[in-house]
């Protein structure tokens, strides 16, 4: 028996980052928006836990127990006193180490898939708690849509979205390590007073109205200077996307994927083509938002 779960990528339309906490994490006001790029996670009963991956960037995905999908299987199995005896297969379409929560998506997907395969019947709250233990972005991969994440990003409040937003994503060559980007944020912040992170009322209103122009005017990412410092060439990608007609562009999460909000699908196709032609990215993808969270297919 097998179960397949489809899980979306995310973009952060606002990522407000506070000062480093004693535990090394940063308090966030993190406005997540799920976008229609998906990984599919299939779990099948097997003799022992095994992870495989297919897709253009499959070679960059770790297949050992550092993979969040493997960790999700182990966490659910342990709680319910069963052997983690499944083959997890990931059909990967979300950029790897790209700031789009691809690894988190696989964690949430494996969790939902095993819950269904084993008939565990875990409550939504229990699943969310396991997700939060796996990583700060994993709970959002489970719920999808749009949400405000506080704490280290794992405490979610669902947000209203009043329309469809069209995006173009420029995939960079190679990934960026999230801890390295937060480390660079700390280095750049040294000696400065860092205000507590607060969600922007204007941004939440733009989301609720489904107003792309208003959202474009309010997009912010406090990790962007750190990502640009570690990968200065991203400035060229941002300039190329804006010149091609995007309403706004920003680094997605910790990067190095850059995200461009466009007014409609046609503009999106044109911006994607121009980004690719500019030679400032490895691939360009279009996607609509919001997308639903992890769901059995
Ligand atoms: O929670 P997650 O394992 O995804 O976090 C990866 C790393 O990103 C953490 O070890 C930490 O360095 C950084 N991080 C942070 N503050 C957050 C979320 C992540 O500093 N709110």
């Amino acid at each position: 028996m097998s179960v397949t779960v489809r899980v979306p990528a995310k973009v952060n339309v606002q990522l407000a980052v506070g000062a480093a906490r004693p535990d090394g994490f940063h308090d966030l006001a993190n406005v997540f928006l799920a976008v229609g790029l998906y990984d599919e996670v299939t779990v099948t009963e097997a003799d022992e836990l095994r992870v495989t991956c297919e897709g253009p960037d499959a070679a960059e995905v770790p297949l050992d127990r550092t993979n969040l999908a493997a960790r999700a299987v182990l966490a659910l199995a342990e709680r319910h006193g069963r052997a983690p005896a499944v083959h997890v297969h990931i059909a990967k379409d979300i950029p790897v180490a790209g700031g789009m929560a691809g690894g988190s998506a696989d964690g949430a997907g494996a969790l939902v898939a095993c819950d269904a395969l084993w008939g565990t019947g875990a409550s939504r709250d229990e699943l969310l708690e396991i997700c939060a233990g796996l990583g700060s972005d994993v709970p959002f991969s489970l719920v999808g849509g749009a949400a405000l994440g506080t704490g280290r990003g794992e405490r979610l409040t669902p947000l209203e979205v009043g329309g469809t937003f069209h995006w173009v994503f420029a995939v960079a060559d190679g990934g960026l390590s999230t801890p390295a980007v937060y480390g660079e944020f700390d280095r750049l912040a040294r000696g400065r007073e860092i205000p507590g992170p607060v969600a922007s009322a204007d941004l939440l209103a733009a989301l609720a109205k489904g107003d792309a122009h208003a959202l474009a005017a309010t997009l912010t990412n406090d990790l962007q200077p750190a990502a640009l410092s570690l990968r200065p060439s991203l400035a060229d990608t941002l300039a190329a996307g804006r010149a091609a007609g995007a309403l706004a562009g920003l680094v997605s999460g910790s990067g190095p994927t850059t995200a461009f909000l466009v007014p409609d699908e046609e503009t999106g196709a044109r911006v994607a083509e121009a980004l690719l032609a500019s030679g400032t990215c490895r691939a360009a993808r279009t996607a609509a938002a919001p997308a639903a969270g992890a769901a059995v297919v």
Side-chain angles (χ1 to χ4, degrees), residues 24-26 28 134-137 151-153 178-179 182:
F25 285 90
H26 297 70
L28 305 178
L134 295 173
S136 306
D137 288 351
R152 57 185 168 84
T178 302
Y182 275 101

Side-chain angles (χ1 to χ4, degrees), residues 15 17-21 23-28 30 68 71 104 131-138 150-154 177-183 186 223 254:
L15 184 44
V17 182
R21 313 190 307 203
D23 67 0
F25 285 90
H26 297 70
D27 274 320
L28 305 178
N30 190 351
L68 283 176
R71 289 180 46 208
S104 300
C131 286
L134 295 173
S136 306
D137 288 351
V138 185
T150 55
R152 57 185 168 84
E154 86 287 14
S177 138
T178 302
V181 175
Y182 275 101
D186 291 339
L223 291 182
S254 55

Side-chain angles (χ1 to χ4, degrees), residues 13-290:
V13 289
Q14 183 185 3
L15 184 44
V17 182
R21 313 190 307 203
D23 67 0
F25 285 90
H26 297 70
D27 274 320
L28 305 178
N30 190 351
V31 183
F32 292 104
L33 181 63
V35 302
L37 291 179
Y38 301 92
D39 280 0
E40 280 192 359
V41 182
T42 300
V43 298
T44 310
E45 274 164 21
D47 292 337
E48 56 181 11
L49 177 57
R50 188 162 76 91
V51 180
T52 55
C53 184
E54 68 174 83
D57 302 330
E60 295 158 42
V61 176
L63 302 177
D64 58 15
R65 292 184 177 202
T66 62
N67 189 301
L68 283 176
R71 289 180 46 208
V73 173
L74 291 165
L76 188 69
E78 188 178 345
R79 273 179 180 245
H80 291 270
R82 46 182 311 149
V86 288
H87 170 205
V88 182
H89 183 69
I90 302 166
K92 178 148 280 298
D93 197 36
I94 303 174
V96 178
M100 296 192 74
S104 300
D106 301 340
L111 185 64
V112 171
C114 283
D115 179 53
L117 181 75
W118 295 336
T120 316
S123 69
R124 192 81 172 162
D125 281 352
E126 184 185 347
L127 292 177
L128 283 170
E129 192 188 319
I130 297 173
C131 286
L134 295 173
S136 306
D137 288 351
V138 185
F140 180 72
S141 297
L142 184 81
V143 304
L148 170 62
T150 55
R152 57 185 168 84
E154 86 287 14
R155 265 190 265 135
L156 297 178
T157 309
L159 294 173
E160 202 189 315
V161 184
T164 302
F165 294 102
H166 297 279
W167 293 89
V168 180
F169 296 97
V171 183
D173 252 329
L176 267 178
S177 138
T178 302
V181 175
Y182 275 101
E184 183 67 359
F185 173 89
D186 291 339
R187 196 183 69 80
L188 295 174
R190 222 167 277 156
R192 268 197 304 128
E193 190 68 33
I194 305 292
V198 182
S200 152
D202 289 345
L203 179 131
L204 298 184
L207 266 185
K209 275 211 314 215
D211 183 336
H213 287 84
L215 184 62
T218 51
L219 293 171
T220 55
N221 179 358
D222 287 354
L223 291 182
Q224 181 160 312
L228 284 170
S229 170
L230 296 177
R231 193 72 71 79
S233 62
L234 294 180
D236 300 331
T237 320
L238 288 170
R242 289 172 186 145
L247 299 173
L250 82 173
V251 170
S252 178
S254 55
T257 305
T258 42
F260 299 91
L261 184 59
V262 291
D264 50 55
E265 237 180 305
E266 297 72 55
T267 311
R270 249 194 300 116
V271 169
E273 213 171 289
L275 276 166
L276 209 50
S278 75
T280 62
C281 61
R282 179 162 62 82
R285 308 288 308 276
T286 57

